[in-house]
């Protein structure tokens, strides 16, 4: 395979791409920004200027840099090898399908899609594409997650029985209106931080385990009055979600239970729900491991054996997500070169959305447990009159979030 850097096209030149992904492209020789598409042409132009300024700050040559500003997704796809989707979530699956059908590699910011119905469509297309897909969930590339998985694989706590994770913070009132609109974002806190959480607990349980049942413990709008875009308004989405997932080990019939908190209110499971310091605890048959942080912000794991006491394992520092954003892009490039699907491939990404939609459906039905088969049946019923996959996704969201609606 050629050693030339991949030509990357940006789909959606907003905050995430500019603040999180763009700096990573400066430090990686394997990729270069080649094109930008955003419905707001001025924002695309501003992003190109930002890219050039970052190159100059890094003392890199900008004379031969040519970043095309495109007027449509189709125009962009004709001139790149890979796309980085950072648009509102409504378009994640649509852009992914467009690219995969043209055999253009796809990275998409989480969530993969608003609904499992749309996500599964992406996975089906990816299965027949010559290109590869990766869900860009940078949290797995934060050192503490690898360290936790190493402790589990090493057998220090025995066989995993339970996992608890808290993700989120009080906010995000500084985000755009679309972020608070379930029709655009697929949900609120459950789609924002729940996407991270389901990927993390599945990674810790092992992707060979199957999520067979999901039950809501409460998906609510707790702090209903928010100052969004400078205007007080009553939100029409969830700002707090607690749910549990049961993972089955198909080899022996054993199971693991994960309890997940995803919040835009205040975390309840632990003191911190942040990306780099959020509460995680894994209980095994022989002991527990907890991700901890000391008063100086240093990460460590506390491994508590039921027989031999406690052991402290120091973890590589991660004071921000800058390193994990770079690592996720590097992982995808190396996966393509190796001809091996990313660990966060389309099937895993669709499985994550399936868990989230199952939790939403569980809440809608009175917090009963939901199986994959029940979610499939519900989705098929909702999309029966839809003209295409995307209209079907609209109908699913309308139904799931009907109880949250306050406006006509």
């Amino acid at each position: 395979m050629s050693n030339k850097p991949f030509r990357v096209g940006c789909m959606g030149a907003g905050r995430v791409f500019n603040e999180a992904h763009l700096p990573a492209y400066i430090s990686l020789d394997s990729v270069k920004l080649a094109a930008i598409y955003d419905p707001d042409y001025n924002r695309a132009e501003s992003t190109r200027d930002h890219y050039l300024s970052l190159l100059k700050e890094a003392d890199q040559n900008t004379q031969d840099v040519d970043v095309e500003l495109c007027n449509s997704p189709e125009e962009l796809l004709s001139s790149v090898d890979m796309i980085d989707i950072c648009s509102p979530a409504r378009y994640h699956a649509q852009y992914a399908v467009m690219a995969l059908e043209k055999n253009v590699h796809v990275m998409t910011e989480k969530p993969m899609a608003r609904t499992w119905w749309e996500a599964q469509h992406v996975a089906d297309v990816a299965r027949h594409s010559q290109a590869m897909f990766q869900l860009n969930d940078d949290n797995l590339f934060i050192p503490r997650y690898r360290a936790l998985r190493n402790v589990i694989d090493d057998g220090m706590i025995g066989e995993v029985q339970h996992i608890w994770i808290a993700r989120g913070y009080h906010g995000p009132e500084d985000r755009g209106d679309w972020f608070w609109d379930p029709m655009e974002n697929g949900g609120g806190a459950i789609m924002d931080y729940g996407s991270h959480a389901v990927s993390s607990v599945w990674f810790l349980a092992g992707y060979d385990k199957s999520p067979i049942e999901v039950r809501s413990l409460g998906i609510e709008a707790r702090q209903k009055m928010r100052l969004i875009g400078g205007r007080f308004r009553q939100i029409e989405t969830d700002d707090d979600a607690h749910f549990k997932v049961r993972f089955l080990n198909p080899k022996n019939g054993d199971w693991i239970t994960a309890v997940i908190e995803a919040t835009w209110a205040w975390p309840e499971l632990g003191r911190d729900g942040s990306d780099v310091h959020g509460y995680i605890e894994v209980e095994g048959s022989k002991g527990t491991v907890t991700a901890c942080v000391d008063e100086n912000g240093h990460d460590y794991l506390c491994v508590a054996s039921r027989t031999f006491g406690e052991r402290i394992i120091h973890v590589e520092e991660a004071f921000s997500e800058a390193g994990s954003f770079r690592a996720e892009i590097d992982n995808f490039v190396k996966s393509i070169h190796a001809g091996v699907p990313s660990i966060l491939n389309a099937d895993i990404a669709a499985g994550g959305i399936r868990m989230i939609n199952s939790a939403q459906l569980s809440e809608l039905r009175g917090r009963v447990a939901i199986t994959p088969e029940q979610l499939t049946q519900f989705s098929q019923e909702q999309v029966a009159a839809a003209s295409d996959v995307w209209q079907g996704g609209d109908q699913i969201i309308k139904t799931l979030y009907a109880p949250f609606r306050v406006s006509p």
Side-chain angles (χ1 to χ4, degrees), residues 234-287:
Q234 185 170 338
I235 62 173
E236 297 183 278
T237 191
D238 62 280
D239 67 357
D240 187 78
H242 291 73
F243 59 103
K244 61 194 294 188
V245 181
R246 188 155 67 99
F247 294 92
L248 177 71
N249 184 339
K251 295 179 180 178
N252 59 15
D254 197 8
W255 63 90
I256 297 168
T257 302
V259 176
I260 293 169
E261 175 183 70
T263 188
W264 288 344
W266 284 291
E268 295 177 337
L269 285 185
R271 294 181 180 179
D272 194 332
S274 69
D275 303 274
V276 294
H277 292 146
Y279 169 75
I280 310 172
E281 181 178 347
V282 183
E283 180 185 7
S285 56
K286 296 180 181 178

Side-chain angles (χ1 to χ4, degrees), residues 135 137-142 144-146 148-149 152 163-167 193-207 247 258 260 274-275 279-280 282 344 348 352 355:
L135 175 69
D137 189 335
D138 71 291
N139 280 196
L140 296 193
F141 299 92
I142 295 172
R144 67 199 322 242
Y145 290 91
R146 298 199 304 275
L148 282 163
R149 179 62 189 264
I152 292 168
I163 304 172
W164 292 266
I165 186 168
R167 293 302 327 279
Y193 281 107
S195 295
H196 281 309
V198 294
S199 289
S200 299
V201 297
W202 203 358
F203 173 72
L204 295 176
Y207 288 128
F247 294 92
I260 293 169
S274 69
D275 303 274
Y279 169 75
I280 310 172
V282 183
L344 289 167
I348 293 297
M355 285 184 260

